[in-house]
Amino acid sequence: MAETRNTDSGFIDLNYAKSISGIFKIVQAIVVFIAFLCIKLSDGASSSTYRYFEVVTIWFLVMALVFYTIYLTRLHLKITCIHWPLTEFLHYVVATILLLIASIVGATKTAGNAGLAAGVFFGFASTVLYGIGTWLSYKIWRVPQPTTVSV
């Protein structure tokens, strides 16, 4: 008799890892990490402008991984004192604003340095991704989800 395994049970939610939301968070983390690396490894990134850029990108990399881990391990179902859709929406709003500021300020000081320009490009790409995340999380938070009745 063969034993079948249900991917909905257990500690890790494999369905979330394969979902659009899960993949989207990983893509956000990768793009913001590339932005951080481009700035960090560039020769001309000694000014305080780029230190701010580094702090913002690494912070939102960590937060993307934290949210991914929370949803992957189903902690959002166990920690019910936090309204997760609102929390994620606020995270995305703040991330979009701070990444946009960091990217605009960074763009003004690239001075022809290709590494800095690449970092700023990925900073703007992260801003777009976090903006999309803001919209998607707003829809989850504010648009009523259909309720299902199980019999």
Side-chain angles (χ1 to χ4, degrees):
M1 183 168 160
E3 183 177 317
T4 59
R5 189 158 198 220
N6 186 357
T7 58
D8 288 339
S9 64
F11 181 69
I12 302 293
D13 185 1
L14 296 178
N15 290 331
Y16 180 75
K18 298 174 191 173
S19 71
I20 298 295
S21 180
I23 293 169
F24 187 69
K25 279 187 184 34
I26 292 298
V27 169
Q28 286 175 327
I30 290 170
V31 172
V32 80
F33 185 61
I34 291 171
F36 169 77
L37 283 180
C38 288
I39 296 297
K40 187 67 176 169
L41 300 176
S42 181
D43 292 334
S46 61
S47 72
S48 62
T49 299
Y50 293 109
R51 296 296 167 244
Y52 170 73
F53 190 94
E54 290 172 4
V55 168
V56 168
T57 54
I58 205 69
W59 173 255
F60 290 113
L61 165 67
V62 169
M63 289 308 299
L65 295 176
V66 165
F67 274 108
Y68 182 79
T69 304
I70 286 170
Y71 288 116
L72 184 68
T73 59
R74 297 184 180 133
L75 285 175
H76 66 288
L77 300 175
K78 294 173 180 68
I79 304 173
T80 57
C81 61
I82 297 174
H83 191 269
W84 290 104
L86 175 60
T87 302
E88 192 168 15
F89 171 71
L90 293 175
H91 158 73
Y92 278 128
V93 167
V94 171
T96 302
I97 292 168
L98 292 181
L99 284 167
L100 181 63
I101 292 169
S103 298
I104 290 172
V105 172
T108 63
K109 302 199 179 216
T110 57
N113 186 321
L116 297 178
V120 168
F121 169 79
F122 283 105
F124 280 119
S126 295
T127 302
V128 169
L129 288 173
Y130 277 86
I132 292 168
T134 301
W135 174 249
L136 295 175
S137 65
Y138 175 78
K139 284 178 23 179
I140 291 171
W141 171 50
R142 295 306 293 170
V143 176
Q145 302 298 316
T147 58
T148 59
V149 177
S150 60
V151 181

